[in-house]
Amino acid sequence: MLKSTQKGMPDASEKYRPYPQINIPDRTWPSKTITKAPIWCSVDLRDGNQSLVNPMGHDRKARMFQLLLEMGFKEIEIGFPSASQTDFDFARWCVEQGNVPDDVSLQVLVQCRPELITRTFEALEGANKPIIHFYNSTSELQRRVVFGKDVHGIKQIAVDAAKMIIDMATKAGGGYRFEYSPESFTGTELDVALDICNAVIAEIKPTPDNKLILNLPSTVEMATPNIYADQIEWMCRNIDKRDSVIISLHPHNDRGTGIAATELGLMAGADRVEGTLFGNGERTGNVDVVTMALNMYTQGIDPELDCSQIERIKAVYEYSNEMTIPERHPYVGELVYTAFSGSHQDAINKGMKAIKKANSPVWEVPYLPIDPQDVGRSYEAIIRINSQSGKGGIAYILQEDYGINLPRNLQVEFREEIQRITDEEGVELPAKRIYDSFIERYVEQPKARLKFVDHHTYPDTAVKGLRVVAAEITDGGETKRIEGKGTGPIDGFVDALSTYLGFEISVQDYSEHSLQHGSNAAAIAYVELNHPGGKLFGAGINKNIVTASLEAIISAANRVLEARASK
């Protein structure tokens, strides 16, 4: 419970009041779904820029502007040219040197003040179908505390600005588009917001062919997303000339639900979204356009923004904003396609195998709502190993990175070794460390007692169908010749080794596969040996599959000897 810092005062929570519900019992948005992308407008160069510790200079702005064009934004708010010379100069650069495609509208922000409106038109001279975005704050709190005006006074500010803007656009030869924002809409009584917006519509006189953008911002996120959706649906139902108005959303993220509020707002009838890449903006930020676009993508909707090179988008964003995207940020964070949990790794491993086998265009992999390759990421870091990881993750890494397809029982056995290392070191193990550990433990065994050297076989003259296996091994560096009988090289070599060691061993499981394609491919063999104390695996790698198999038997035998010596 939060306590008041002042003696004798009630609990801190009593300072606050719940946001009132919207009286719209026949709301329709809960049964709607998003079926197409909205009109996107990037406000990175305005809302995003104004919230930076070090606002962008020209180079950083130009890099961001070019990225936004490449991603496919058709409307880009490039600044507040009447607020500073820097913004004015950048607006002129965009118009004169920005190579803006004909289907892209430059948008600029301006308060409803005559001298600022005049300066804004100067900044846009020569632009193709630019958007004049004018606004004034309308909330009850700001009317009372900031401006000291009643509703009529606030409405008059908006109407006067609309009149001036229309007059200046006409004198400039036309070709302008217009956007009005009742700033702090979510803190404005709905009937007041409607009255002011309708008064602006009456002045602008939009038509179905030349629509007014009516932006309804959640300037401060004040309530749950469903209430924002109710507000949007109520406005869509009641606004004048709905067929001549584009309803735009401009959500912030103060409650951490900006994306949810925007998605519900679209379901409630909105047509357009203003936001920033990865949600940069004042306080907790604007709505995250990239996350929203990729959310749509995972539902089979073309977001009409190119997010296929997410690493480049991230790099430009971080350069221009001098900010770092968190590791867990949706879709783009370093770790969002990565699993450390053993159960997650196992499910992903099986899912990746299943999707390859099915050869289906439908993406269905547990814990991965999007194919990383669709956004320019690789599969290399899907699974990473730490003390929480399981056999499936280790098996996936060895298979994907090194072509080693461990039998299931070997996965279980090797996982114990990796668990020991991660517990001792307390760190994540890179793929090469896991591979090196496998090779040292099961293949090379530098401290092992036995080494395989060579072998040859010939028919047993005494028993038809059997073959004699004569093999050369070293034991502690000393060369030994051993001999046994069996139906083939593996069977005969195990018989020879059992006789030499003085205890019974037998093959419980055997498998092999090539490590590369082509005639010169090396093969890896896996052998699980039964011995008096249990079962243990060995592995061998050789271009000759029989040699690889016998090396695997020696490997397993060395591990048996090690286990017996430790008792």
Side-chain angles (χ1 to χ4, degrees), residues 184-195:
S184 60
F185 164 75
T186 47
T188 305
E189 309 92 315
L190 280 177
D191 58 342
V192 171
L194 181 68
D195 183 35

Side-chain angles (χ1 to χ4, degrees), residues 43 377 416:
V43 294
R377 298 280 288 267
E416 294 178 359

Side-chain angles (χ1 to χ4, degrees), residues 549-562:
S549 302
L550 302 186
E551 288 176 347
I553 293 169
I554 282 288
S555 166
N558 279 321
R559 300 191 62 243
V560 170
L561 292 171
E562 181 183 340

Side-chain angles (χ1 to χ4, degrees), residues 240-303:
D240 290 345
K241 304 188 72 169
R242 179 65 181 94
D243 65 344
S244 300
V245 172
I246 295 170
I247 298 295
S248 176
L249 309 177
H250 184 115
H252 281 248
N253 199 43
D254 299 270
R255 293 171 54 89
T257 56
I259 289 173
T262 309
E263 291 177 332
L264 297 190
L266 291 174
M267 292 159 59
D271 311 296
R272 181 179 185 266
V273 172
E274 292 188 348
T276 59
L277 303 182
F278 311 121
N280 179 39
E282 293 281 17
R283 305 180 308 280
T284 57
N286 287 53
V287 71
D288 180 338
V289 168
V290 172
T291 297
M292 275 205 62
L294 291 174
N295 281 355
M296 292 179 187
Y297 183 71
T298 66
Q299 303 304 301
I301 300 168
D302 179 1

Side-chain angles (χ1 to χ4, degrees), residues 51 87 169 294 327 347 384 396 451 518:
S51 64
D87 271 20
L294 291 174
E327 293 176 332
R384 289 161 64 171
Y396 177 87
K451 298 287 184 185

